[in-house]
Amino acid sequence: MSTVTQPSVPENLKSFLSAPKKLLIGGQWVDAKSGKTFDVYDPATDQVVAQAAEGDAADVELAVAAARKAFDSGAWSKMTASQRSRIIWKIGDLIEDNADELAAMETIDNGKPIGVAKAADVALAADMFRYMAGWATKIEGNTIPLNVPYVPGGQFHAYTLKEPVGVVGQIIPWNFPLLMAAWKLGPALATGCTIVLKPAEQTPLSAIRLGELCHEAGLPDGVVNIITGFGETAGAAIAAHDDVDKVAFTGSTEVGKIIIKAAAGNLKKVTLELGGKSPNVIYDDADIETAIAGAADAIFFNQGQVCSAGSRLFVQSGIYDEVVAGVSEIASNMKVGSGFDASTQMGPLVSREQFDRVSGYLKAGLDAGAEASAGGAAIDQPGYFVQPTVLKNASPEMSVVQEEIFGPVVAAMPFTSDTEIACQANDTTYGLAAGIWTRDISKAHKLARQVKAGTVWVNCYSIFDAALPFGGYKQSGWGREMGHAALENYLQTKSVCVSL
Ligand code: NAI
Ligand code: MG
């Protein structure tokens, strides 16, 4: 493995980092009521690079009031859909215009390679707003013929209206900071909702910049409010607030369950995009070279901090050794380093906490008898770097096979028969995604039906598109993000029945 290098922060990012980073409430940038701020770290150096306002329940109170006022005024929800669409589209344009700056923010905040941030995170975020801008003008109900048995001869005109759910709280994680904000804001804005968004405490920067861009695009005051701060304080206040009509959350399954309980107070609507332990299945009739590269990408993309990562690799027994050797070779040759170095393929993990968590899993896996055919340890140097790791001889009861590691660690296991693999693939409490590699299309479609997962990739992995719904079966969540499906999270159906 090559040595980690640490190029310095780009000049153009320095002024943003040193400027005060405030909360966005009712169109104004304000300090937290408590006056508190928290440190923002560069995960490649373990150094503090900025301070952000530490919003808590008091600030959430103001943000929800601002969102309520904006919603009730109709400034957004009653604007013509065509006008709303143009503003949402403009947000996408502004993201693209500022792509270099936003990508650099993602790299210093999250650690990811800057080329990936620009090509994936920023491009997908822009695309999400544009896709949802298109939907704003296409939200429509139905006319429904009635057949009321107890009103003989009755004539009715019945139809449905699709109305925005109201004020929504959105709590997002740190693995794709800007993109997760886009996944959440896009459909909420298209439907006419107003929003209180809380970015993860590890990665507040790009959401703050996005707030500025929303206003540059012409979004009315109070439609998007941004509260940076911690989960247990600001996040919990959003989830529990009686005047929030819906909460959308992406993060750990553990916190997802806390959100459900907090939401029970006013029975706010809840959607959840949670963890995963996704199976990636390679049959012996696959194009092996492509499958090996795909399996490596499925787990090492974004340092493995992807909810849909292909973290359980099932390989048909005849090609198991060859595939494990191939993925291990890719892992061993990966250039790990600062995301600002153009040659870096894998950056650091996002935080000290995540570094400790992943290191703990590596130790637990090796102690339990798994063997590292690549990596297996942290990298001894400043920053939160761990080696891309392939564990073989992993067995189903091990924590590295059952639990989400959220790091660059794949557990490889052999399988023999077609009937056995569906059971093995589904042997998890999660159900977010799955990968299938084979040249036999019938086999691919059969397993795609059997596997309990919200997304199935065949002969590819980690293909995301604003038009394609994404979300979880089982304990991976409730509801779908992206696509037409995401609009439903932010709409209510009203039935209107008229006697003629
Ligand atoms: P987390 O679930 O604690 O944090 C995600 C978001 O929820 C953050 O904005 C956080 O501030 C907020 N939050 C935390 N506690 C909250 C509470 N009580 N009420 C309301 N909001 C709260 O995730 P964390 O601790 O950063 O990572 C832990 C594990 O979660 C990871 O190792 C990974 O397994 C999983 N995870 C899954 C993600 C996904 O995309 N599905 C994203 C991030 C983490
Ligand atoms: Mg947490």
Side-chain angles (χ1 to χ4, degrees):
M1 191 147 334
S2 21
T3 9
V4 172
T5 53
Q6 307 286 10
S8 58
V9 176
E11 277 308 314
N12 61 358
L13 189 56
K14 284 185 180 159
S15 56
F16 176 83
L17 292 175
S18 57
K21 268 155 285 300
K22 304 193 177 194
L23 312 173
L24 177 59
I25 300 177
Q28 305 297 313
W29 291 95
V30 297
D31 292 322
K33 286 203 90 176
S34 67
K36 284 200 218 163
T37 60
F38 63 97
D39 293 334
V40 181
Y41 285 82
D42 174 354
T45 61
D46 194 22
Q47 301 291 310
V48 175
V49 292
Q51 306 281 324
E54 187 185 327
D56 61 21
D59 307 288
V60 166
E61 198 59 45
L62 296 176
V64 171
R68 172 58 60 195
K69 188 168 164 229
F71 186 76
D72 288 349
S73 77
W76 184 242
S77 61
K78 303 256 169 20
M79 184 185 275
T80 68
S82 161
Q83 276 175 294
R84 221 166 49 228
S85 168
R86 268 177 271 184
I87 292 172
I88 301 170
W89 187 279
K90 183 85 200 280
I91 298 172
D93 283 348
L94 289 172
I95 288 173
E96 205 170 77
D97 292 348
N98 293 278
D100 288 319
E101 184 197 13
L102 287 164
M105 274 176 204
E106 297 300 69
T107 296
I108 201 152
D109 225 358
N110 166 280
K112 64 181 68 199
I114 190 161
V116 174
K118 191 173 171 187
D121 299 61
V122 176
L124 284 169
D127 210 36
M128 185 69 190
F129 282 103
R130 289 176 179 149
Y131 174 83
M132 287 297 170
W135 273 116
T137 50
K138 295 161 196 73
I139 294 166
E140 49 194 30
N142 303 110
T143 46
I144 299 172
L146 298 193
N147 172 38
V148 188
Y150 54 85
V151 187
Q155 286 198 55
F156 298 94
H157 171 51
Y159 61 96
T160 54
L161 293 172
K162 292 286 187 184
E163 297 183 341
V165 79
V167 172
V168 305
Q170 302 186 319
I171 301 169
I172 56 171
W174 41 260
N175 51 344
F176 297 90
L178 179 72
L179 183 58
M180 291 302 101
W183 281 17
K184 292 279 184 280
L185 292 178
L189 289 174
T191 52
C193 292
T194 61
I195 298 128
V196 178
L197 175 77
K198 193 198 86 63
E201 54 270 36
Q202 296 84 352
T203 56
L205 300 179
S206 57
I208 296 169
R209 186 74 184 105
L210 180 60
E212 293 174 356
L213 297 178
C214 284
H215 280 270
E216 198 178 324
L219 206 67
D221 291 350
V223 174
V224 169
N225 304 274
I226 297 172
I227 302 292
T228 49
F230 292 88
E232 295 75 6
T233 49
I238 291 171
H241 202 293
D242 277 347
D243 205 27
V244 170
D245 299 303
K246 181 226 154 45
V247 62
F249 170 77
T250 298
S252 60
T253 295
E254 179 195 353
V255 173
K257 292 178 183 179
I258 295 174
I259 300 274
I260 294 170
K261 288 195 184 125
N266 70 337
L267 283 179
K268 59 176 67 64
K269 318 275 180 274
V270 180
T271 46
L272 305 167
E273 203 262 272
L274 307 175
K277 193 72 188 177
S278 298
N280 195 13
V281 177
I282 305 183
Y283 286 100
D284 57 11
D285 59 5
D287 172 342
I288 295 186
E289 282 305 300
T290 311
I292 287 171
D297 196 44
I299 185 65
F300 300 135
F301 171 56
N302 212 42
Q303 298 69 245
Q305 302 165 136
V306 183
C307 47
S308 53
S311 51
R312 291 182 300 139
L313 179 60
F314 294 102
V315 188
Q316 204 151 15
S317 44
I319 58 163
Y320 178 77
D321 289 341
E322 184 185 351
V323 169
V324 169
V327 178
S328 301
E329 195 190 338
I330 293 174
S332 303
N333 289 327
M334 276 187 111
K335 174 124 188 326
V336 181
S338 162
F340 287 114
D341 181 335
S343 63
T344 288
Q345 294 169 293
M346 185 186 286
L349 297 178
V350 70
S351 64
R352 166 74 50 200
E353 188 187 5
Q354 200 59 20
F355 174 86
D356 289 343
R357 193 178 281 141
V358 173
S359 304
Y361 274 114
L362 285 174
K363 183 171 181 316
L366 298 175
D367 287 352
E371 186 191 325
S373 60
I379 298 176
D380 184 17
Q381 94 140 58
Y384 318 132
F385 296 96
V386 298
Q387 296 172 340
T389 297
V390 179
L391 295 176
K392 57 180 188 179
N393 299 336
S395 49
E397 74 287 352
M398 291 179 186
S399 62
V400 288
V401 176
Q402 287 300 330
E403 295 168 26
E404 181 172 58
I405 299 176
F406 228 62
V409 183
V410 65
M413 290 156 285
F415 72 93
T416 46
S417 73
D418 288 5
T419 41
E420 174 196 43
I421 186 55
C423 294
Q424 279 179 269
N426 287 331
D427 183 17
T428 166
T429 55
Y430 294 112
L432 198 53
I436 301 170
W437 302 80
T438 174
R439 287 191 172 98
D440 180 336
I441 55 164
S442 169
K443 209 189 269 178
H445 287 295
K446 275 186 191 150
L447 186 59
R449 287 175 183 206
Q450 287 172 304
V451 84
K452 295 188 175 73
T455 296
V456 181
W457 287 295
V458 178
N459 294 331
C460 59
Y461 208 95
S462 293
I463 299 298
F464 293 96
D465 190 283
L468 193 63
F470 179 81
Y473 280 42
K474 301 199 273 184
Q475 293 193 34
S476 289
W478 290 352
R480 294 292 176 269
E481 312 240 37
M482 301 196 285
H484 184 204
L487 298 170
E488 295 303 322
N489 303 337
Y490 297 96
L491 291 169
Q492 311 213 70
T493 302
K494 179 180 281 175
S495 294
V496 181
C497 177
V498 184
S499 175
L500 298 179

